[in-house]
Amino acid sequence: MALLPVDCTAILERFGPHLAYSEGLRLTTGVEPDRIVDTHCCFCGQQCGIRLKVKDNQVFGFEPREDFPFNQGMLCPKGVKRYLQGSHPDRLLSCYERDPRSPGGFRPLPYERAIERVASEIQRIQSAYGPDAFALLSGASLTNEKAYLIGKFAHMALKTANIDYNGRLCMVSAGAGNKKAFGVDRAANPWSDILKAEVIWISGANVAECAPITTNYIWQAREFGAKVIVIDPRITPIARTCDLFLPIKPGSDVALFNGVLHLMIENDWLDHEFINSHTAGFNDVAESVKAWTPEKTAAVTGVSERGIRQAAEWWGRAKTSFLMHARGIEHHSHGVQNVLGAINLVLASGRIGRPGCGYGTITGQANGQGAREHGQKCDQLPGYRELNNPAHRAEVAQVWGIDPRELPHAGADAYEIFRKIDRGEIRGLLSICFNPMVSLPDNNFIRRALDKVEFYAAVDFFLNETAHHADVVLPSALQEEDEGTVTQLEGRVIKINKAVDCPGDARPDWKIVQDLAHRLGCERGFSFQSPREIFEELRRASRGGIADYSGITYEKIEKQNGVFWPCPDEKHTGTPRLFEPGSWNPVAQGAGPFYFADGKARFNVATYTPSAETTDEDYPVILTTGRVVSQYLSGTQTRRIGPLVDQYPEPRVEMHPRLASRLGIADGDWTTVESRRGQLTLRAQVVTTIRPDTIFIPYHWAGSQSVNQLTISAQDPISRIPEFKVCAVRLRKTPSTGS
Ligand SMILES: Nc1nc2c(c(=O)[nH]1)N[C@H]1C(S)=C(S)[C@@H](COP(=O)(O)OP(=O)(O)OC[C@H]3O[C@@H](n4cnc5c(=O)[nH]c(N)nc54)[C@H](O)[C@@H]3O)O[C@H]1N2
Ligand SMILES: Nc1nc2c(c(=O)[nH]1)N[C@H]1C(S)=C(S)[C@@H](COP(=O)(O)OP(=O)(O)OC[C@H]3O[C@@H](n4cnc5c(=O)[nH]c(N)nc54)[C@H](O)[C@@H]3O)O[C@H]1N2
Ligand code: SF4
Ligand SMILES: [Mo]
């Protein structure tokens, strides 16, 4: 079961001679499909519409969907190749249990025996150490139905407080910032509003590589005359086509936002009417940004005063605008402060809730939005309700038919779960759709924790690097092997349709979880026959919550090609623009557009603090990390798709020629990068597109190539997101790989 970055042999053997590319991205084959299934891409949060071609229970090709309003016939390289993972030889087709004597360290296990073994370990651990000693980790690639059921399983069957999901590494800073400022956590506008914006502000988002279809919206807006401002320590592909690029020092965005607000106030580029009628807290924020003069802002951010003034003027004077950000400002130990700083600029301008006046975080994973709404976050219940709120507990307990006192309270976040394992407080772990050995920071610590845990079971369709440490592995379904709903980055709930059956013993996650619940003696509440039945309960459980899906049905999604939440009843068509006057809002009840009792948005003082680890004589260079276009997340899926591997075969250390020459490093040289937590050796990629004080390494690779050996486990105190975007390193030329 070694990871083989090969093209999908089975598919190529079968259909290879017929494969041909034509019309740009469109794949044509000489094979006639039995069926064509309209669905969506399994990868990023944009959820492009895709049409899968199926023959003999195998997906062998695709077409982009012209009819889906978001991508309108476009796809990125990952979407184009996504179906190649389906019949990869590494696909898990049966359950496995650890057995050091078997080849690869695992031996196959019948499904029922695997369920039996996991359930009995859960019972053993929970009766010896208490319910919270067994933890669950889940994921945002899961459909709403799966996310909902996994949350219910944790809270009602296991009764553990300790469930969290991989969105903890992703968008929680944006979520927390949005809740503080707007009372709700969802993109405020549909992406079509980008087209009407005069100024587009992009902070910390490598749009062209990570949200490729969004590039098209931005470029169309440029055609109509929009000015594009990009803030990033690297000249990313979108930055190459922008009108103003601010090469920020990693970790200092909140200072930039405060500096721009300072200039907006000084020049009276404010919407006083909006601030007075629709917001609270402006005066405190105005006071707090007084100190952020252009001189001070420039000194802290490394951006020129001229650049700061230009950005403030364009933003300040615009009539319409769209501000978006992604992990570049969110992956920080002060990620929430960064987000609040960004929102303050939007609120001061008054440009939100109207056509062409928008704001949103670019979500990450397929269901980055929906999977953070239905109860798999460590403090959450369905409908974006809170575990520690007595009214919310009562509402959900009623739907589940239990006493609210049976529900646990908020538990540990995804990283804290590993600290608790290390301390012996958590003894057992089940992960579904999460690969912490690659994706969590300081992953040498994660490995040590995994060595300590008494029992670990993983559910995945590939044996990912964390599952290598498992005692039992259960094979799950690929996205195209089940149906369900997903909520894409605009807040539009869409439908994933089943194209093929699961191979071998693999089955959808919800079935595995339900079988476990049954084996634990929990039949009641876990008797769903289909994702549709789960969705019907989710609708009821979310009714009256902030993320209200109660008026959404599978039929309405098909008919409307997606439904934006909130959608409180079956006659309602959904809410594309969240804060539009007159939009349905369960909290303000007509008092105003924002989700607080008085209907007003909140300005929040956004405080600058340096990153947890700053550079010094020993570790003089900033390391920042992120993505490349052809690879996806921890790489489990895309490192198995040959053509994507060919595009970017191995991680490289991006560095500026000035830094490289100071260290005697030439392009392609082996370079050892070392932090206080670990080291790795990769080839250098010398580029003029990065700040000379910063290096960049993509994180999609495992083992000795994993950059998370170096990163720091500092977390934001509010959102608990790890600081993936800044740590201090030193580097040197190395004669060879050293490995
Ligand atoms: N190709 C591809 N696409 C993806 C994914 C993938 O793995 N591969 N993953 C999906 C997921 S889950 C996510 S979360 C999104 C992520 O999408 P993005 O957030 O756009 O991607 P990242 O590469 O993590 O970081 C974005 C940018 O932040 C910059 N940056 C680093 N530090 C700072 C800083 O302090 N300030 C500012 N302003 N910028 C900074 C980096 O240089 C980088 O260009 O992409 C989604 N789409
Ligand atoms: N250094 C650094 N580290 C980072 C980041 C960074 O920018 N820099 N970004 C962070 C971000 S934004 C994210 S989102 C995380 C992602 O981190 P992870 O969530 O660990 O990454 P994935 O690759 O999505 O891992 C999920 C696993 O789920 C499996 N999977 C996919 N779909 C399903 C499904 O439907 N069911 C089941 N059972 N399994 C499934 C995949 O095969 C894979 O093995 O990484 C974070 N880590
Ligand atoms: S942009 Fe995202 S959703 Fe669209 S094809 Fe690419 S990975 Fe898939
Ligand atoms: Mo993410």
Side-chain angles (χ1 to χ4, degrees):
M1 272 186 293
L3 192 153
L4 300 171
V6 293
D7 235 323
C8 197
T9 354
I11 284 200
L12 284 182
E13 272 169 15
R14 229 170 126 214
F15 302 116
H18 306 287
L19 292 178
Y21 287 93
S22 69
E23 293 175 51
L25 291 181
R26 200 164 294 232
L27 176 67
T28 55
T29 73
V31 181
E32 269 305 300
D34 300 334
R35 275 195 323 281
I36 290 188
V37 180
D38 280 3
T39 184
H40 294 269
C41 174
C42 61
F43 291 131
C44 87
Q46 298 185 97
Q47 288 297 288
C48 295
I50 199 166
R51 182 160 287 169
L52 295 178
K53 295 182 175 179
V54 182
K55 187 162 181 69
D56 299 341
N57 199 38
Q58 205 171 351
V59 176
F60 73 90
F62 77 96
E63 274 182 11
R65 271 171 60 190
E66 309 276 347
D67 68 311
F68 187 59
F70 186 81
N71 62 307
Q72 298 177 14
M74 290 172 289
L75 295 175
C76 84
K78 292 185 304 304
V80 169
K81 303 288 187 329
R82 46 90 71 204
Y83 69 94
L84 285 174
Q85 61 180 328
S87 47
H88 194 283
D90 290 353
R91 182 74 197 275
L92 290 172
L93 300 177
S94 98
C95 301
Y96 286 89
E97 73 180 336
R98 170 169 301 286
D99 174 20
R101 286 157 307 172
S102 296
F106 287 94
R107 66 158 175 251
L109 187 70
Y111 179 79
E112 293 307 330
R113 285 259 308 283
I115 292 288
E116 169 71 33
R117 169 118 199 257
V118 178
S120 61
E121 288 288 343
I122 291 173
Q123 281 168 329
R124 180 185 68 77
I125 287 169
Q126 290 196 316
S127 50
Y129 309 107
D132 293 346
F134 200 92
L136 235 134
L137 290 171
S138 54
S141 295
L142 299 166
T143 58
N144 291 320
E145 289 78 353
K146 290 170 187 166
Y148 171 82
L149 194 73
I150 291 170
K152 184 178 183 185
F153 173 72
H155 294 128
M156 190 171 148
L158 296 190
K159 297 190 169 56
T160 177
N162 294 319
I163 171 171
D164 203 30
Y165 81 131
N166 62 14
R168 184 68 52 201
L169 324 181
C170 189
M171 286 155 305
V172 283
S173 295
N178 276 255
K179 281 276 282 178
K180 274 177 172 291
F182 304 123
V184 60
D185 163 26
R186 199 210 91 181
N189 298 62
W191 256 220
S192 52
D193 274 339
I194 295 173
L195 306 182
K196 302 179 195 119
E198 262 178 38
V199 172
I200 298 167
W201 181 301
I202 305 165
S203 272
N206 180 359
V207 174
E209 294 199 70
C210 300
I213 307 305
T214 297
T215 315
N216 196 56
Y217 285 82
I218 295 165
W219 282 354
Q220 277 194 55
R222 286 192 78 219
E223 294 284 302
F224 301 141
K227 291 198 171 74
V228 179
I229 305 171
V230 174
I231 296 112
D232 201 296
R234 303 184 304 141
I235 307 176
T236 57
I238 194 72
R240 279 174 217 148
T241 62
C242 76
D243 301 276
L244 179 64
F245 173 64
L246 306 183
I248 197 159
K249 183 173 169 196
S252 64
D253 293 82
V254 66
L256 181 74
F257 293 128
N258 286 347
V260 169
L261 187 58
H262 174 104
L263 287 169
M264 287 170 73
I265 294 171
E266 190 174 277
N267 292 284
D268 200 19
W269 291 322
L270 301 169
D271 184 340
H272 293 284
E273 161 57 22
F274 179 88
I275 294 170
N276 292 336
S277 327
H278 294 301
T279 70
F282 177 71
N283 291 340
D284 288 347
V285 169
E287 190 57 38
S288 74
V289 300
K290 270 197 181 139
W292 288 100
T293 58
E295 303 73 43
K296 181 175 167 185
T297 308
V300 172
T301 61
V303 173
S304 70
E305 261 188 67
R306 226 176 96 220
I308 298 164
R309 286 181 188 280
Q310 183 67 84
E313 183 171 354
W314 284 353
W315 182 260
R317 287 178 179 273
K319 299 272 175 299
T320 56
S321 60
F322 204 109
L323 188 149
M324 59 180 88
H325 53 76
R327 307 310 83 78
I329 72 162
E330 298 161 28
H331 277 162
H332 293 277
S333 56
H334 52 268
V336 177
Q337 302 304 313
N338 282 342
V339 171
L340 293 173
I343 294 174
N344 287 342
L345 293 194
V346 175
L347 292 177
S349 76
R351 294 190 300 264
I352 190 159
R354 287 184 279 131
C357 294
Y359 162 78
T361 184
I362 305 174
T363 65
Q365 298 166 79
N367 197 19
Q369 182 64 50
R372 69 184 196 242
E373 300 165 355
H374 299 296
Q376 53 175 359
K377 277 168 90 167
C378 63
D379 55 355
Q380 201 197 45
L381 287 167
Y384 227 113
R385 290 191 175 87
E386 288 160 17
L387 255 171
N388 288 351
N389 177 319
H392 292 182
R393 293 167 68 83
E395 283 157 2
V396 173
Q398 201 215 350
V399 176
W400 289 353
I402 57 171
D403 188 313
R405 281 171 300 188
E406 289 179 46
L407 288 172
H409 285 268
D413 66 77
Y415 207 89
E416 194 59 27
I417 283 178
F418 285 94
R419 293 197 189 98
K420 279 179 176 278
I421 290 174
D422 184 53
R423 294 197 296 265
E425 294 165 27
I426 290 177
R427 304 290 183 124
L429 179 67
L430 170 64
S431 75
I432 307 174
C433 189
F434 200 153
N435 191 8
M437 268 303 295
V438 179
S439 56
L440 282 176
D442 188 9
N443 57 15
N444 287 319
F445 169 74
I446 302 299
R447 195 186 48 249
R448 290 196 298 273
L450 283 169
D451 287 343
K452 281 191 183 175
V453 75
E454 283 179 22
F455 178 78
Y456 168 44
V459 183
D460 208 297
F461 36 72
F462 291 125
L463 191 73
N464 71 29
E465 289 74 15
T466 317
H468 276 283
H469 296 258
D471 298 291
V472 174
V473 181
L474 293 121
S476 79
L478 284 176
Q479 182 240 31
E480 58 265 37
E481 292 163 1
D482 193 19
E483 69 171 350
T485 61
V486 153
T487 310
Q488 50 83 277
L489 82 172
E490 300 167 293
R492 191 196 309 250
V493 184
I494 52 167
K495 180 80 197 311
I496 306 300
N497 287 315
K498 180 172 167 175
V500 290
D501 294 325
C502 292
D505 250 352
R507 55 204 78 195
D509 301 286
W510 66 267
K511 282 201 175 136
I512 296 173
V513 164
Q514 195 158 268
D515 288 342
L516 275 176
H518 293 175
R519 177 55 194 75
L520 290 166
C522 207
E523 301 270 342
R524 198 168 55 88
F526 294 92
S527 56
F528 300 104
Q529 298 296 314
S530 64
R532 179 188 281 270
E533 286 186 12
I534 304 174
F535 190 72
E536 289 304 311
E537 187 175 294
L538 182 159
R539 289 176 60 197
R540 280 190 285 125
S542 72
R543 186 189 304 280
I546 286 174
D548 190 332
Y549 282 46
S550 60
I552 304 179
T553 62
Y554 278 12
E555 286 69 29
K556 193 189 278 185
I557 296 174
E558 294 293 349
K559 192 164 147 235
Q560 291 185 196
N561 225 340
V563 183
F564 288 80
W565 69 260
C567 180
D569 63 65
E570 288 200 16
K571 287 199 205 77
H572 199 282
T573 52
T575 313
R577 200 173 285 118
L578 215 47
F579 308 126
E580 194 146 49
S583 279
W584 188 81
N585 170 335
V587 185
Q589 308 269 359
F594 298 99
Y595 282 49
F596 294 103
D598 60 7
K600 291 182 177 182
R602 302 293 191 262
F603 278 92
N604 288 276
V605 171
T607 310
Y608 169 75
T609 42
S611 303
E613 189 178 63
T614 49
T615 52
D616 56 21
E617 259 176 39
D618 292 337
Y619 296 91
V621 176
I622 302 169
L623 165 69
T624 195
T625 64
R627 299 159 161 75
V628 296
V629 68
S630 55
Q631 288 295 315
Y632 188 65
L633 302 180
S634 69
T636 321
Q637 295 166 267
T638 44
R639 277 184 282 127
R640 289 187 162 86
I641 299 179
L644 295 180
V645 175
D646 293 344
Q647 271 190 42
Y648 200 104
E650 59 183 27
R652 294 198 167 213
V653 189
E654 257 181 46
M655 67 181 86
H656 192 274
R658 242 188 285 159
L659 175 64
S661 76
R662 213 171 66 220
L663 298 167
I665 297 172
D667 190 53
D669 280 352
W670 290 106
T671 305
T672 298
V673 186
E674 203 180 336
S675 79
R676 288 187 175 83
R677 293 152 295 280
Q679 64 169 53
L680 88 174
T681 301
L682 303 170
R683 285 189 192 277
Q685 185 166 4
V686 179
V687 290
T688 52
T689 49
I690 186 166
R691 287 175 59 94
D693 58 1
T694 302
I695 61 167
F696 172 86
I697 303 177
Y699 90 101
H700 314 284
W701 287 266
S704 62
Q705 294 181 315
S706 170
V707 73
N708 276 327
Q709 297 172 95
L710 312 186
T711 48
I712 188 165
S713 63
Q715 287 168 278
D716 182 290
I718 301 169
S719 71
R720 310 297 296 157
I721 207 166
E723 187 142 75
F724 289 121
K725 292 294 189 261
V726 179
C727 74
V729 294
R730 58 183 170 221
L731 52 160
R732 61 174 191 279
K733 183 173 164 167
T734 317
S736 71
T737 62
S739 58

